[in-house]
Amino acid sequence: MATSLTTAQEAMRRWAYGAADGDWSGLLQMLDPDVTFHVPVAEFAGVRHGAAEAARFFGHLSPTLRAQLDVTGTLADGDRVAFEVSVRGSWHGQPLTQALCLVFVVDGHRIREFREYLAWPGGLENAG
C-alpha cells in the first residue's frame, strides 16, 4: 500500500520530468479523474476541476516551459505533502529563476488535488 509521501514524491518526480522535457503524460496518469487544482497562471485563474482541464493546463505549459526543478524541502501531513522547489530554465524563451511550493493531496496512488504557489526572485521581468 502506497503512503501519501511515496505517491506525492512520485508525482513530484513526474512534475520535474514534465518541466524538463514538456512531456507531462506521466504526471497526468497520476491525477484523479476529478482532480481539483489551483495554479497562478492567468489563463487558468481560480480553482479548476477535472483531469481534462489539468491536461489543458499542462498542454499550455508544454511549448513554453523548460526547466530544471530541484526539491529543497518536503513537509508531509497526512494526505497533504508540500514540496519547496527551486526552478531554473526558460519560460516563453526568456530566462526563468523561480521558487515555488507545490502541495499535493493524495488519495491512494492518485493525486486528488494540487496547488502551486510561486515566488519570482530574479525571475521574469513582468512577474509583478
Side-chain angles (χ1 to χ4, degrees):
M1 184 170 171
T3 67
S4 293
L5 178 59
T6 301
T7 299
Q9 286 171 323
E10 179 63 18
M12 186 66 243
R13 185 179 66 80
R14 292 180 186 199
W15 191 295
Y17 286 157
D21 68 11
D23 180 1
W24 298 91
S25 61
L27 177 64
L28 290 170
Q29 292 170 358
M30 292 189 71
L31 300 181
D32 185 277
D34 296 321
V35 67
T36 298
F37 66 99
H38 180 271
V39 292
V41 175
E43 296 87 350
F44 295 88
V47 176
R48 299 294 180 135
H49 303 279
E53 188 68 357
R56 193 171 79 78
F57 166 66
F58 288 109
H60 172 78
L61 294 183
S62 288
T64 60
L65 174 71
R66 289 298 177 276
Q68 176 181 334
L69 278 60
D70 295 307
V71 174
T72 57
T74 304
L75 176 63
D77 182 17
D79 64 351
R80 292 184 188 276
V81 181
F83 296 95
E84 182 182 74
V85 181
S86 170
V87 180
R88 291 196 179 280
S90 66
W91 172 256
H92 293 282
Q94 298 296 313
L96 169 70
T97 301
Q98 176 185 76
L100 64 89
C101 180
L102 290 169
V103 179
F104 295 104
V105 178
V106 177
D107 185 4
H109 293 287
R110 296 266 187 202
I111 302 302
R112 183 176 72 226
E113 179 181 331
F114 66 89
R115 292 185 176 265
E116 182 177 355
Y117 304 91
L118 300 178
W120 298 97
L124 299 174
E125 290 178 4
N126 62 351

